[in-house]
Amino acid sequence: MNNIVCPKCGKSTTKLFHGRCKECFLENFTLAEIAPVMHAKLCPTCGARNVKNKWVDHGSLEEIVIRTVEDALFVHEMAEDIEVYIEPRAQTPYLYKVHIEVDALLLDEMFHQELKTEVRVIRESCDMCSRISGGYFEAILQIRATNRIPSDEEKQECINIAGSVLERLINKGDRLAFISSSLELKEGTDLYVGSSNAARHICKEITSHLGGSFSESASLQGMKDGKDIYRITFSLRLPEFMPQDIIDHKGRIIEIRKFSKNVTGIDVETGARFTATPEEINGATLIAKRKDLPKTMLVAIENEDLMVLDPDTYETVTVRKPVMFSADPGTEIPVVKTEKGLLAIADL
């Protein structure tokens, strides 16, 4: 192979790098660069970190340090097949010494460089936690029920559903998916939600699971950067009847099994399946809730009839055996008193 003279130093070489020998080329060449000291902002409440003035969620503190170094590391634009090794070493919970090795292909030659930096962790509340602590909200979600007051169990289930929706939205990057506060009222519960988008998702999820409906209205709160700022109130109405409610619907005694877009249940007398829209059961009356039903002694079973004790008079009466009935004589079974008389309730 013919040797070539480096025009800068005059040494003989087999290859020139941008018109110079490798030694001369490396005099002013830097494969990688990084600042000697960097800062990683970490939210002490939720663990989010600040990247380019944007709060994002990442894993452990060591992962946050590595990501901070990766974001700040500069590698020569001509480099190819780049491999980076980063080793953080904790000096204190707030200070990391970081060793970096970079290998890359440049001008058909492999180059290697080692660097060191220091990452200082700064504790600072993120945008979400700052807003939560400050009571920030863009929407009010009012949990109510039609023609009744929602039970504590229903309100708690709504809050549980809201929590799962918010967790899903946070994982998708919605930093306003939070509840800053709640207010217990005689008629229900008010949730103060970080964003109207999150509140709308919560309403859709609750009505999908529990039935009911919701509406929204906006009120002007002021202006910011020349734009009107609105606060949205979501009025969520749980259905008048819930699963395991026993109702009188046009003379039929129905136990509600599911209430969503359609109402499904069982005819207590015949065992027939019942299906209707929420609008179609308007005007129905609540007879009892399954959990509040009295229990009475099952005396005997005769073909399709049951002999039971009346829970008020203790007289033996005959009632029709429900479909899917499995109790044995001598045990207690739930019954309901209606205008049609005493009715036995089928097993769930």
Side-chain angles (χ1 to χ4, degrees), residues 154-294:
E154 289 174 312
K155 290 186 289 185
Q156 186 58 53
E157 187 168 3
C158 289
I159 292 172
N160 292 342
I161 291 172
S164 64
V165 171
L166 294 174
E167 183 178 0
R168 187 166 67 242
L169 292 174
I170 289 173
N171 291 336
K172 291 182 178 180
D174 187 347
R175 303 289 298 172
L176 293 178
F178 59 80
I179 295 173
S180 58
S181 63
S182 63
L183 181 62
E184 287 294 326
L185 303 169
K186 180 181 179 181
E187 60 271 22
T189 300
D190 287 352
L191 303 180
Y192 294 81
V193 187
S195 75
S196 57
N197 176 63
R200 190 173 294 110
H201 275 82
I202 292 171
C203 288
K204 289 180 179 179
E205 193 80 2
I206 290 175
T207 54
S208 174
H209 281 76
L210 303 179
S213 60
F214 71 93
S215 60
E216 52 186 275
S217 59
S219 59
L220 183 64
Q221 298 298 306
M223 296 188 68
K224 183 178 181 180
D225 300 329
K227 295 182 179 180
D228 291 336
I229 303 298
Y230 290 90
R231 182 163 290 157
I232 312 296
T233 298
F234 291 83
S235 180
L236 186 146
R237 291 278 175 179
L238 296 174
E240 184 173 1
F241 307 112
M242 297 298 290
Q244 299 184 31
D245 281 352
I246 299 170
I247 65 172
D248 185 331
H249 174 62
K250 298 180 180 180
R252 295 179 66 186
I253 310 302
I254 305 295
E255 181 178 9
I256 302 296
R257 291 294 173 86
K258 185 177 181 181
F259 204 122
S260 55
K261 292 182 179 180
N262 286 315
V263 184
T264 59
I266 296 294
D267 189 309
V268 174
E269 289 185 278
T270 67
R273 184 177 176 83
F274 173 82
T275 302
T277 65
E279 292 76 19
E280 289 173 337
I281 64 169
N282 285 340
T285 57
L286 177 68
I287 298 176
K289 294 180 177 292
R290 174 180 276 266
K291 65 182 180 65
D292 298 329
L293 291 177

Side-chain angles (χ1 to χ4, degrees), residues 41-54:
K41 290 182 180 179
L42 176 71
C43 178
T45 304
C46 70
R49 75 180 188 95
N50 190 287
V51 180
K52 299 176 182 178
N53 294 321
K54 182 179 179 181

Side-chain angles (χ1 to χ4, degrees), residues 11-187:
K11 291 181 180 178
S12 177
T13 182
T14 58
K15 185 177 181 179
L16 293 179
F17 296 84
H18 278 216
R20 291 164 289 173
C21 67
K22 187 173 184 179
E23 288 74 15
C24 292
F25 173 75
L26 290 176
E27 287 179 359
N28 298 312
F29 169 78
T30 301
L31 174 61
E33 292 180 306
I34 196 164
V37 177
M38 289 179 295
H39 297 90
K41 290 182 180 179
L42 176 71
C43 178
T45 304
C46 70
R49 75 180 188 95
N50 190 287
V51 180
K52 299 176 182 178
N53 294 321
K54 182 179 179 181
W55 288 96
V56 296
D57 295 308
H58 285 291
S60 66
L61 183 56
E62 186 171 293
E63 290 173 331
I64 291 172
V65 170
I66 292 174
R67 186 60 66 90
T68 299
V69 172
E70 288 176 341
D71 292 342
L73 180 65
F74 170 78
V75 181
H76 198 284
E77 59 184 11
M78 294 175 61
E80 299 176 339
D81 297 333
I82 303 168
E83 293 185 5
V84 178
Y85 168 77
I86 300 174
E87 182 185 5
R89 300 185 183 97
Q91 307 298 302
T92 73
Y94 308 99
L95 176 64
Y96 278 77
K97 298 286 187 180
V98 184
H99 175 74
I100 309 161
E101 294 186 20
V102 181
D103 292 289
L105 183 66
L106 187 71
L107 301 175
D108 296 325
E109 289 284 329
M110 287 300 300
F111 289 88
H112 175 84
Q113 186 172 345
E114 297 186 13
L115 305 96
K116 291 183 179 180
T117 187
E118 182 179 290
V119 177
R120 299 173 184 175
V121 179
I122 300 174
R123 309 281 172 158
E124 180 180 309
S125 291
C126 68
D127 52 353
M128 182 178 73
C129 294
S130 295
R131 284 170 167 163
I132 292 174
S133 63
Y136 177 88
F137 65 97
E138 292 180 1
I140 303 173
L141 198 166
Q142 299 174 332
I143 300 173
R144 305 290 188 267
T146 303
N147 297 329
R148 63 185 179 88
I149 296 174
S151 66
D152 291 341
E153 292 80 5
E154 289 174 312
K155 290 186 289 185
Q156 186 58 53
E157 187 168 3
C158 289
I159 292 172
N160 292 342
I161 291 172
S164 64
V165 171
L166 294 174
E167 183 178 0
R168 187 166 67 242
L169 292 174
I170 289 173
N171 291 336
K172 291 182 178 180
D174 187 347
R175 303 289 298 172
L176 293 178
F178 59 80
I179 295 173
S180 58
S181 63
S182 63
L183 181 62
E184 287 294 326
L185 303 169
K186 180 181 179 181
E187 60 271 22

